[in-house]
Amino acid sequence: MALTASRYGKGRVRVMRLTRDGDHHTPRELTLTVLMKGGFDAAWAAGDNRACVATDSVKNIVNVTAAKNLSLDKEAFAEAVAKVFLDTYPQVEEVAIEATETRWLRQEIGGAPHGHTFTLDGNGFGYVGLAASRGGSVLRSGLRGFTFMKTTQSGWADFVDDAYRTLPDTTDRIAATSMDATWTWAREPIDYAAANAKILSLLIQVFGTTYSHGVQDSMYRMGEAALAAVPEIDAIGFAMPNKHYIPINLQPFGLENPGSVFLPTDEPHGQIEATIRRTG
């Protein structure tokens, strides 16, 4: 029997880097999965572990790299971790790193940003993904579970009318989603954090200020806007499940419901996914 694919490493490696500039502190918290591919087949096929790097060492490499690189943004930090593996272990051919970022919001106290007081940003997680080999690398950034909504200027109409359809057309509904978005870098921007913030701002702006004929319609135009405004990205992918708000029938109680009372539900939900890539 042939071993056709294998990789291994460490999952859920959690690390917080804290930089201190006097009383001004900056927390950078990540949860990483680091996986290696390379000359490890004998561990599977022959019980021979001599080429294997312990997964505990994978965790230690993340921690040591964190101590030596307190101020790097998440993209550059992932690249620094991958470099350690490729520089240290000739048997490692590729390192795949995925990390989610727990985002902390600096609080204002007395009308001014406070140096060391933060609250958790509960709206999703930042994301970075890196596949690094000796021949090159692919770096991605994005968001996971970023949730947003608009309460009008959205519809869903003129879809297939067959024996299974029960939904009526609507031209005015609540549109809400918990979005995973991932953009692929073609080249390094001047500032990853600023570029990421610009992309997110554009996605929300397009979603909120234009009529949506469906999640597909909004998704495509959101991707177009991001690609047009940030030339350093080559593609952007979305997974946007619907969060439904279903009008509740109040007629049994002698009440009208003019789009005011809803049942929130996301089970089951529509799952809409797409990738928009730059052409030319």
Side-chain angles (χ1 to χ4, degrees):
M1 302 298 178
L3 179 68
T4 59
S6 64
R7 63 178 185 170
Y8 81 103
K10 203 76 162 179
R12 294 196 62 79
V13 180
R14 300 184 66 180
V15 63
M16 163 81 89
R17 293 172 292 146
L18 184 64
T19 55
R20 302 169 185 261
D21 182 9
D23 189 51
H24 184 87
H25 298 176
T26 301
R28 296 177 172 90
E29 182 176 347
L30 293 173
T31 301
L32 303 95
T33 296
V34 182
L35 297 172
M36 298 172 287
K37 292 174 63 176
F40 307 113
D41 285 3
W44 275 267
D48 183 348
N49 297 328
R50 285 176 294 175
C52 288
V53 180
T55 66
D56 188 64
S57 298
V58 175
K59 175 203 68 179
N60 293 338
I61 287 170
V62 171
N63 291 338
V64 170
T65 306
K68 294 179 178 180
N69 298 276
L70 293 177
S71 299
L72 291 182
D73 54 39
K74 63 184 184 298
E75 289 83 4
F77 179 70
E79 290 175 328
V81 171
K83 187 175 188 302
V84 173
F85 285 92
L86 295 174
D87 288 351
T88 305
Y89 305 109
Q91 68 271 39
V92 174
E93 297 170 4
E94 181 179 304
V95 183
I97 298 173
E98 291 200 350
T100 54
E101 178 185 31
T102 299
R103 297 179 296 169
W104 292 98
L105 300 174
R106 189 177 303 279
Q107 291 303 289
E108 285 196 1
I109 297 178
H114 196 261
H116 56 255
T117 303
F118 304 85
T119 58
L120 180 67
D121 184 345
N123 196 356
F125 295 87
Y127 169 82
V128 62
L130 173 67
S133 69
R134 302 185 187 281
S137 63
V138 176
L139 179 66
R140 298 180 174 90
S141 300
L143 295 156
R144 294 292 179 266
F146 189 84
T147 303
F148 50 98
M149 172 180 73
K150 63 180 179 180
T151 54
T152 189
Q153 292 296 300
S154 173
W156 179 242
D158 298 327
F159 50 95
V160 172
D161 189 1
D162 60 13
Y164 300 99
R165 172 175 164 170
T166 57
L167 286 177
D169 285 354
T170 181
T171 57
D172 189 7
R173 65 172 183 170
I174 293 175
T177 185
S178 178
M179 176 184 72
D180 291 351
T182 308
W183 41 94
T184 304
W185 297 100
R187 60 182 185 273
E188 184 177 348
I190 295 173
D191 184 323
Y192 278 113
N196 290 337
K198 183 176 183 179
I199 291 169
L200 177 57
S201 177
L202 279 166
L203 299 183
I204 296 172
Q205 177 183 328
V206 172
F207 177 83
T209 62
T210 61
Y211 184 83
S212 173
H213 294 278
V215 175
Q216 294 90 332
D217 173 48
S218 288
M219 181 186 291
Y220 183 79
R221 289 183 291 105
M222 291 160 67
E224 277 189 313
L227 289 166
V230 182
E232 293 88 355
I233 63 172
D234 175 61
I236 183 167
F238 297 95
M240 292 172 61
N242 280 327
K243 296 177 72 68
H244 299 291
Y245 290 85
I246 301 170
I248 294 175
N249 180 12
L250 298 176
Q251 289 183 350
F253 311 101
L255 299 172
E256 297 297 323
N257 185 8
S260 300
V261 184
F262 301 87
L263 171 66
T265 181
D266 56 8
E267 295 179 355
H269 60 248
Q271 181 74 20
I272 299 93
E273 301 183 4
T275 298
I276 299 94
R277 186 175 300 277
R278 196 180 302 281
T279 59

